[in-house]
Amino acid sequence: MRGVVFDGKQVQVVDDLEVRDPGPGEVLVAIAAAGLCHSDLSVLDGTIPFPPPVVLGHEGAGVVEAVGPGVTHVVAGDHVALSTLANCGACADCDRGRPTMCRKAIGMPGQPFSRDGQPLFQFASNSSFAERTVVKAVQAVKIPRDIPLTSAALMGCGVLTGVGAVLNRAKVGRGDTVVVIGTGGIGLNVLQGARIAGALTIVAVDTNPEKEAVARQFGATHFLASADGVREILPTGADHVFECVGHTGLVRTAIDLLDRHGQAVLLGMTAPKAEVSFLPAAMFLDKSILGCRYGSSRPQKDIALYAELYRSGGLLLDELVTRTYPVEDFARAAADAERGKVARGVLTF
Ligand SMILES: NC(=O)c1ccc[n+]([C@@H]2O[C@H](COP(=O)([O-])OP(=O)(O)OC[C@H]3O[C@@H](n4cnc5c(N)ncnc54)[C@H](O)[C@@H]3O)[C@@H](O)[C@H]2O)c1
Ligand SMILES: [Zn+2]
Ligand SMILES: [Zn+2]
């Protein structure tokens, strides 16, 4: 079968990939569509270290092809969106509603794929850039059939991360002020999360002026090409500033833009050893810096909510998909994402 493989040096679309059958508690999914998130590109340049060879992709949707023993919540033929959280469901963190903190769900990549007898790692417990993948039951979230799979593909990272960061982590309140730095696939979902939460002033900042129209469509009340202008709109700063690029300089900017009691939410992925300096004295005014993994999501609950919000018109999904590409055109999709030509590019199988 076809898939996008990174061998540690180069990335290529192959057609001789194999995936093992689902074991107990696992689901085999035929991927229909998969979004290209910046985190996939960050594996290629080493910003996100991951052992090669690896099958990329971590945001996808498709149709259940088979289930292993013990799986009862989905059956063959069901439409599913895939999460990246292979959480155990049995530890204290899972039990308290924090599956993103489950220690079994991070840093233990499996190898369900092979090529010519050689095993390949699964990226983010997911590898949605493959015609078929095997995931844990908890990762396969059943979705209504009327959601196009090309749109549902974006639930599994962009929507969970961006909307979840607003609703679950920052807990933005009605009337709050929000700044979103970087309006790619993640930032746009932060914007719509802020709109859903009832934020009043929502300032989008992106160096690419072509992002203005889509940023406003997703909820921005203001758009700036540089964070320098934020104080003209919000003289005392913002209640919540979301860094959605992954630049250390912008992390500092986010902290500097906080109003009293404000919080900076760091969503962008910086290199593991990157450092940022800031003025601790300013934090005295009840300010906080929050990390956020994957929107602090509970995928089975949150994807069901987002599906309903989509159907009632409150959550935009179709509008996130600027372009679809057959998986063979991965290189073009990656180049378009790097150049900021798309909100999200989606690979299809
Ligand atoms: N925390 C998490 O769980 C999580 C999950 C998914 C992705 N991420 C990370 O989020 C970040 C964004 O991912 P994405 O898929 O939205 O990326 P993207 O490439 O789609 O978007 C990045 C945006 O930032 C803009 N930008 C670049 N430099 C800028 C600057 N100096 N000032 C303002 N805007 C600037 C670009 O124009 C683009 O619109 C990445 O670092 C990714 O790895 C984190
Ligand atoms: Zn992602
Ligand atoms: Zn657990």
Side-chain angles (χ1 to χ4, degrees), residues 38-39 157 184-186 206-207 211 244-245 267 269 292 294 344:
H38 206 97
S39 297
C157 181
I186 302 298
D206 199 299
T207 40
K211 299 274 177 165
C244 308
V245 182
L267 289 174
M269 302 287 284
C292 183
Y294 202 44
R344 264 290 198 253

Side-chain angles (χ1 to χ4, degrees), residues 179-234:
V179 175
V180 180
I181 305 175
T183 59
I186 302 298
L188 289 172
N189 280 297
V190 174
L191 288 171
Q192 67 172 338
R195 172 176 46 72
I196 290 165
L200 267 191
T201 307
I202 306 175
V203 184
V205 179
D206 199 299
T207 40
N208 181 353
E210 286 172 25
K211 299 274 177 165
E212 175 163 2
V214 68
R216 289 187 185 275
Q217 183 184 24
F218 275 72
T221 57
H222 300 74
F223 181 91
L224 300 169
S226 151
D228 292 344
V230 171
R231 292 270 174 189
E232 283 164 37
I233 301 160
L234 299 170

